[in-house]
Structure formats: C-alpha cells, structure tokens
Amino acid sequence: MKLIFKQRLLSVLDSYDIYDEFGNTEYIVKGEIGLSHRFRIYNNRNIELAYIKQSLFKIFPEFKMYINGNYVGCVKKRFSLLKPIFTVKCKGLYIEGDIFELNYKIKDNCNHVIASINKKLFSFSDKYVLNVKNREDVLHALVIVLSIDALKCNK
C-alpha cells in the first residue's frame, strides 16, 4: 500500500493529510498543544485510530505510540555522529536510515522490510511517501514515521 504524507503548509500545529496513491484522503494527523509534542491519527471518517506523545524529561527524545488506545511501543533517538539512529520498541521492528535522513526502512526481526519511507525533496512542506507491504502493518508504520519526523524536529 502506497501512502503520501503532506504536511499542511499553513498549520500552526504539525498536521498532515495522508493520501493513497490515487489522491484519496486515507488519514488525517492533527498535532495538539501541550508541554510535549502529541499527534492524533484519524481515518477519513474522523474516527481516532492512534496517537503518539513525547515523553518528558528524557535525555534523548522519545515518543510513545498508541493504537486504538493501547500502548504498542516507543521510538527513541540515540546519539550518533554520522547517521540518525532510532530505536524502535514495537512488535520486534527496527529502523534503518540513510546518512541524509531522507530514506528509511522499517524491518521485522527476520530482517524483512515491512515498510519504506522516502522524503520528497523540493517540496513547499514536508512530504513523504510510505510503502507498506501488508495492510495490517499500516498503523504501526504510520506511528513510527510520525515519531521519527517529530524526533527530527527535536534537534
């Protein structure tokens, strides 16, 4: 399944519209005001499916992820000199990224790619293309991608 993330250009809070490859809205992501970054993911019928929230008072930034109100894991940014390193604690998944922070792969514990994320250059706002192999992994991939984007903003 191919999804296109487009950050809303004139939004006070970080908000995204997520489209399928045909331009139909699949998901809406709304940022919230608070002491930390928080995002809620809604489907195209405005039903909340998932949310992420930043943990406060951490040396390295961390986002906790929830799907259907249940905690599913977290994403942390680790110290690294050359390329970004993110630790994912969710279903045995892990992240591999390139040195330019443009492309990522989400892999399972058998080293199979379940999703790939590519940032599009030369866009007025952040724009990502997310390719997910299986539909049942879409929400997990979404919360991981949103967490990584928010962690990159915490530089």
Side-chain angles (χ1 to χ4, degrees):
M1 174 175 210
K2 183 177 182 178
L3 296 171
I4 294 106
F5 281 61
K6 290 183 185 177
Q7 186 173 27
R8 291 185 184 164
L9 191 58
L10 299 174
S11 176
V12 175
L13 302 170
D14 289 331
S15 297
Y16 295 86
D17 293 314
I18 303 172
Y19 304 94
D20 65 15
E21 58 192 303
F22 306 107
N24 302 309
T25 302
E26 287 284 325
Y27 303 97
I28 299 161
V29 178
K30 296 178 184 176
E32 295 180 351
I33 295 175
L35 294 175
S36 63
H37 284 86
R38 288 179 290 180
F39 301 91
R40 296 197 180 270
I41 301 171
Y42 301 90
N43 65 12
N44 56 9
R45 293 181 307 276
N46 208 30
I47 297 170
E48 184 178 319
L49 302 174
Y51 68 94
I52 64 170
K53 67 178 182 176
Q54 183 179 15
S55 299
L56 295 175
F57 311 115
K58 298 284 185 177
I59 293 172
F60 296 106
E62 171 185 302
F63 276 85
K64 293 186 177 182
M65 304 175 297
Y66 300 82
I67 295 176
N68 297 319
N70 299 311
Y71 176 77
V72 295
C74 67
V75 176
K76 299 178 185 180
K77 186 170 185 179
R78 295 185 1 215
F79 176 76
S80 172
L81 293 176
L82 295 178
K83 71 177 192 174
I85 298 175
F86 299 100
T87 302
V88 177
K89 293 182 181 177
C90 176
K91 287 180 56 174
L93 302 174
Y94 69 97
I95 287 281
E96 286 184 355
D98 67 15
I99 195 165
F100 302 109
E101 299 186 56
L102 300 174
N103 304 299
Y104 297 92
K105 291 180 181 171
I106 301 173
K107 295 185 173 185
D108 64 16
N109 55 6
C110 295
N111 205 31
H112 297 116
V113 175
I114 67 153
S116 61
I117 304 115
N118 305 94
K119 185 171 183 175
K120 294 296 180 188
L121 298 175
F122 311 113
S123 180
F124 289 109
S125 63
D126 284 347
K127 183 177 179 181
Y128 298 91
V129 175
L130 173 65
N131 287 298
V132 183
K133 301 258 182 198
N134 299 312
R135 185 137 183 102
E136 64 268 9
D137 293 324
V138 168
L139 280 177
H140 287 91
L142 286 175
V143 293
I144 291 170
V145 170
L146 289 167
S147 296
I148 289 172
D149 187 58
L151 285 168
K152 287 170 48 177
C153 293
N154 282 333
K155 288 184 176 181

